[in-house]
Amino acid sequence: MFDTLTLAALPAEGEAIRPAIRAIAEQAIANASADVRARSWSGFDRDFSRLLGRSGFLGLTLPKCYGGAELGPFARFVVVEELLSAGAPVAAHWIADRQSAPLILNYGSEAQREYYIPRICRGELVFCIGMSEPGSGSDLASVRTRAERTAAGWRVNGQKIWTTNAAHGDYMIALLRTSGSAGDRHAGLSQLIIDLKAPGVTVRPITDLTGDAHFAEVFFEDVELPADALIGEEGEGWKQVTAELAFERSGPERIYSSVVLLDAWIAHLRDARRDDPATCALVGDFTARLGTLRAMSIACTARLALGESPVVEASLVKDLGTRFEQELPTRIGDDLASHPDEGVDAELYRTLLYVTHIAPSFSLRGGTREILRGIIARGMGLR
Ligand SMILES: Cc1cc2nc3c(=O)[nH]c(=O)nc-3n(C[C@H](O)[C@H](O)[C@H](O)COP(=O)(O)OP(=O)(O)OC[C@H]3O[C@@H](n4cnc5c(N)ncnc54)[C@H](O)[C@@H]3O)c2cc1C
């Protein structure tokens, strides 16, 4: 069935940028403890994102005429892999670089491309994704937040939830109902760019299990948007969102969320001089799975490089990848607990606690496990 997911090697031009991005990532984390580095996904640092932009590491897949590097998805894979392995703070450019800019490139007007994409490539704009609403997460087509046409453009009323980075963001790309009712499902949905500083927008941060507040509720009360806030065609929002999710689900970000913990644990094993067969088998198990998942993610990247939208394959990578990421803290915690004679230093302990607390979210964010398995089953012709 997955004959579209054939092994692909990272091409030389992708590998060529690894030393430079590794050097920048290492500099960024030089003084950061492992538990801070484990927060890589939610580490918000506009200065670091601007540095990446200045150094040519943002917009790698985007055309040069909009400030991109035209190096393609393999180069982006290498950059993301290096940043996450190191635990560098990626949140301030993450969503814009991965999703918003390609979406605007593919569906936006020329004016939107010229305005937003160069700023994203410079690491200046923070975007967030306004898909989920109370009652509309997995059942995304049921969104109710509405944008009505006015003489000048659009008026938005409703609410979004779980919006990562809304509190620090500049713009949201929101999936909104522009015609019909929630019962119409896919028809009548459109994507609009909302300036988060616009009058009528209220952002209320939500604190998660770890005590961090990286996502938020966002309320819209008679928010007036210009006519050119619409991305692409009115009513095409569902199609656009589906393509966007393939970018979100296939990348190395679905494999490396717990990797700082894995590194810290292996360093602990070295310090403790533990190399018995059971320990080696556990390290080998993690390493082999990481290698396999990485190969699958690269295979998806190869499809993206061909301009395809590997929705089913991306779902497979995300489901297997997040299962791996979630197993790491559990099995590492069990391993440390079963060696009470070894002292565990405070940094490793804090890292384990953080990753244990955040891990349940890995299989929720970007689409839940059950939904992904439904997509995979449909792709295999099972439903
Ligand atoms: C850390 C984090 C960051 C997030 N960031 C964003 C963001 O930036 N922007 C955004 O728009 N959203 C974001 N989300 C929201 C996320 O996409 C949703 O939480 C997710 O899609 C699930 O939707 P829900 O919470 O409404 O749960 P529900 O859809 O209510 O699901 C509840 C449970 O029921 C199961 N379920 C639902 N439908 C089915 C079905 N048909 N078959 C089988 N099982 C089913 C689900 O798998 C789940 O286990 C984020 C979530 C997290 C945890």
Side-chain angles (χ1 to χ4, degrees), residues 112 149-154 192 224-231:
Q112 286 170 336
R149 270 198 192 276
T150 61
W154 304 91
L192 283 92
E224 302 288 345
L225 302 179
D228 61 5
L230 179 72
I231 304 180

Side-chain angles (χ1 to χ4, degrees), residues 41 95 128-140 160-166 173 208 214-215 248-249 358 360-372 374 383:
W41 267 71
I95 289 170
C128 58
I129 301 165
M131 292 189 192
S132 304
E133 298 181 8
S136 297
S138 300
D139 188 13
L140 196 54
K160 294 288 171 184
I161 195 166
W162 315 126
T163 318
T164 302
N165 288 337
I173 295 187
D208 72 11
H214 55 82
F215 51 26
E248 181 170 352
R249 290 175 177 162
I358 195 75
S361 74
F362 298 165
S363 56
L364 298 175
R365 61 189 186 192
T368 66
R369 171 166 289 141
E370 291 78 9
I371 294 302
L372 296 173
R383 61 190 284 251

